Amino acid sequence: MNNIISFFAGAGGMDLGFEQAGFDIKLAVEIDPIMCQTLELNRKNDTLTIYEKNILDATAEEVLQQAKLRKGEVAGMIGGSPCQSFSTAGNRGAFSDERGQAMIKYIDLINAIRPKFFVLENVKGLLSAALEHVSIEDRKKNKDEGIVLRAEQQPGSAFSFILNRIQGYEVHYKLLNSADYGVPQKRERVFVIGILKEDDEPLFPYAFPKKTHSKSAKIKETLFDYADDAEKLEPWITFEQATAHLKGTTMNYQSYSEKRMHYMKMIPTGGGNWRDLEKFGDDVVRQAMGGAYNSGGGKVGFFRRIKANEPAPTLLTSPAQNSTNLGHPFEDRPLSIEEYLAIQQFPKNYKVAGKLMDQYKQIGNAVPVGLAYAVAKSIKEGLQTIL
C-alpha cells in the first residue's frame, strides 16, 4: 500500500521525493492557483488529482473522494504547512492566524482519515514557539520584575499543543539539516513523523534516516555523530558542484538596485558579505548599511555573496532582500531561478508557473527533493515490514 495524499503541495518538492522512494501520490491539495499551475505543468500521471482548495474548508470525506480512496486505503498523508507563524523572523503568531490554523486542520484531517503514517514538515522555530508570543524585551522585563510566564507563554507550548492534538499515533520528531542528506543547501527543517497505533502499538517501527553526508566526512562532528560510520560519509555537496551543469544556460534572476549593485561589486568573489566593505572605510560601511549599521545581530546576510565551495544557505522567497541577500559567488547578481531549482534538486527542465517573483516564492518554499526522498525512504523501510 503506497497511496499518498499530499497537503500544502506547493511546487511539488515533497511529492517528488516520496515518488522517488516508490510512493504513489493520489491527491495534491494546494490553495495557491499559481502553484497548482506548476503542478499541472509537470505532472503527467493520470492517477494524480490536483485539488485547488483551502485546507480549512476541506472535510475528510471530500478529501477521500477527490483521492478516489476509501478510509483504510491511505498509506500516508504528507505536508509542509505554512511556516510564517513559527518562524523566528516573523511575529510568531502560532495558531492565531490562518496559516497556523492550517496546521491544526491538517492534524484534524489526519485524525479523521487515519493513514498508516503522516509527515509534518516545518521550520525549526516550531519547536520553540509559544502559544502566546512574548517578545524578548518583554521576557527580560518580566524576569526582572519577577513575573513568571503563563503556561501558554512558555517556549515550546505551541509544539506541545500539536503533539497533544494528535490521536492514536506514535510520534517521532527531529531537526534535519538538508546538507547532511546530499542536498547542496544548509536548510534546517523539523520533521514530525507519526505511525498509526493499533492496540496501543505502532503498526511498524520507525527510525529517522542516517546522515549520508557531512561537513567533513573524515572528522567526527560530535562525540556521537559518525563515531562508527565517519569514513562512509560523503562530503557536503557545494553550490559549485550543484550548478556546474548550468554553464552556458541563460539565467533568469531578480535585478539588483543601482545602489545594491554598487556595493556588491566591492564584495570579493568566491564568498563574502558586508564585513568585506570595512576595508574601504567606516563611511562606506555606514552608507551601505543605512539604519542596519547600528542594529544588533551578526547581519551575515547583508551584501552576501554565497560561498562557492559550500552548500548554499537556506533559499528564501527572494534572493535580493536586504538582510538575507543570496548573491552569486562570482557574478554580480542574485541567484537565478535555474540555480534555485538545482539547489532544491528539482528535475532538469522542471517548469515553474507565474512571474519571476512567483517562481522564486514557489521554489524557495519547497521541501528539497533529496531531503524528502531520505525521509520517504526511511518510512518505506518500516512500512514494508507489514506489507
Side-chain angles (χ1 to χ4, degrees):
M1 180 190 290
N2 296 317
N3 297 326
I4 297 289
I5 298 176
S6 169
F7 291 85
F8 319 105
M14 178 99 81
D15 294 5
L16 286 168
F18 270 76
E19 286 184 329
Q20 289 179 8
F23 288 100
D24 185 7
I25 311 294
K26 293 296 186 182
L27 179 68
V29 182
E30 172 55 52
I31 187 176
D32 190 313
I34 295 178
M35 293 186 182
C36 288
Q37 290 176 31
T38 293
L39 296 175
E40 290 167 357
L41 285 172
N42 296 280
R43 306 313 299 253
K44 307 299 183 183
N45 185 352
D46 291 338
T47 67
L48 173 68
T49 298
I50 300 167
Y51 191 32
E52 186 180 327
K53 183 76 172 183
N54 186 338
I55 190 174
L56 295 177
D57 300 326
T59 66
E61 292 73 22
E62 70 176 298
V63 168
L64 289 169
Q65 182 181 21
Q66 289 289 333
K68 299 179 179 62
L69 296 171
R70 292 174 295 186
K71 191 172 181 178
E73 294 180 339
V74 182
M77 289 169 57
I78 62 175
S81 64
C83 63
Q84 293 89 341
S85 293
F86 307 100
S87 173
T88 54
N91 60 14
R92 307 200 80 176
F95 308 118
S96 62
D97 65 24
E98 187 170 300
R99 295 168 299 189
Q101 292 163 13
M103 182 185 292
I104 296 177
K105 183 57 181 283
Y106 178 53
I107 297 298
D108 290 346
L109 287 172
I110 289 168
N111 290 335
I113 294 173
R114 313 302 290 168
K116 300 293 186 293
F117 70 87
F118 73 81
V119 176
L120 170 63
E121 178 265 357
N122 214 276
V123 294
K124 66 178 181 180
L126 174 65
L127 298 177
S128 59
L131 282 169
E132 181 183 324
H133 179 58
V134 180
S135 69
I136 294 176
E137 293 78 10
D138 287 342
R139 286 179 183 275
K140 184 178 185 305
K141 180 180 178 181
N142 289 346
K143 184 178 180 180
D144 292 342
E145 295 178 357
I147 300 174
V148 178
L149 295 177
R150 301 192 305 274
E152 61 270 23
Q153 296 174 326
Q154 294 290 344
S157 57
F159 189 56
S160 294
F161 179 85
I162 281 292
L163 294 179
N164 290 332
R165 199 175 184 93
I166 299 169
Q167 302 172 5
Y169 284 84
E170 179 182 77
V171 178
H172 308 254
Y173 59 91
K174 190 173 184 179
L175 182 67
L176 304 180
N177 186 334
S178 301
D180 291 333
Y181 300 92
V183 178
Q185 181 183 181
K186 292 177 282 189
R187 188 187 192 100
E188 290 186 316
R189 287 296 185 269
V190 172
F191 277 81
V192 182
I193 313 294
I195 311 301
L196 184 65
K197 293 195 290 189
E198 287 187 356
D199 299 324
D200 210 33
E201 291 294 331
L203 285 177
F204 58 89
Y206 179 71
F208 277 98
K210 292 183 178 180
K211 298 175 183 179
T212 57
H213 295 66
S214 74
K215 184 176 181 179
S216 179
K218 296 180 181 179
I219 301 175
K220 299 176 185 178
E221 293 188 3
T222 71
L223 179 63
F224 302 103
D225 288 349
Y226 315 116
D228 298 320
D229 301 320
E231 70 282 358
K232 300 177 184 178
L233 296 174
E234 297 292 331
W236 277 354
I237 298 176
T238 68
F239 168 81
E240 200 164 31
Q241 291 172 322
T243 59
H245 68 286
L246 295 176
K247 186 177 181 179
T249 301
T250 299
M251 299 294 180
N252 295 279
Y253 53 86
Q254 181 181 2
S255 297
Y256 281 140
S257 67
E258 184 177 344
K259 178 183 177 181
R260 182 82 66 87
M261 179 66 80
H262 172 74
Y263 293 112
M264 285 302 298
K265 287 182 176 180
M266 301 167 73
I267 306 299
T269 57
N273 63 14
W274 72 278
R275 288 287 187 188
D276 295 290
L277 298 174
E278 292 177 342
K279 65 184 177 184
F280 298 101
D282 189 63
D283 286 345
V284 171
V285 178
R286 285 179 178 274
Q287 291 170 9
M289 297 294 286
Y293 181 86
N294 294 313
S295 66
K299 301 187 281 284
V300 294
F302 281 86
F303 300 101
R304 174 174 53 191
R305 285 187 189 273
I306 71 169
K307 295 181 179 179
N309 60 354
E310 292 184 5
T314 300
L315 296 189
L316 305 168
T317 56
S318 166
Q321 297 175 8
N322 285 338
S323 62
T324 53
N325 189 72
L326 295 170
H328 191 276
F330 305 111
E331 300 180 27
D332 296 325
R333 62 170 176 81
L335 298 185
S336 68
I337 293 296
E338 292 73 21
E339 288 157 346
Y340 257 51
L341 286 167
I343 291 167
Q344 290 281 54
Q345 299 180 315
F346 279 91
K348 186 178 180 181
N349 300 322
Y350 199 79
K351 300 176 178 64
V352 187
K355 298 178 181 179
L356 185 71
M357 297 312 297
D358 295 322
Q359 295 176 10
Y360 274 124
K361 177 182 177 182
Q362 293 175 75
I363 306 167
N365 279 336
V367 176
V369 176
L371 180 58
Y373 169 75
V375 172
K377 186 179 177 183
S378 69
I379 294 172
K380 193 70 176 293
E381 290 172 355
L383 189 61
Q384 287 176 337
T385 64
I386 63 171
L387 296 181

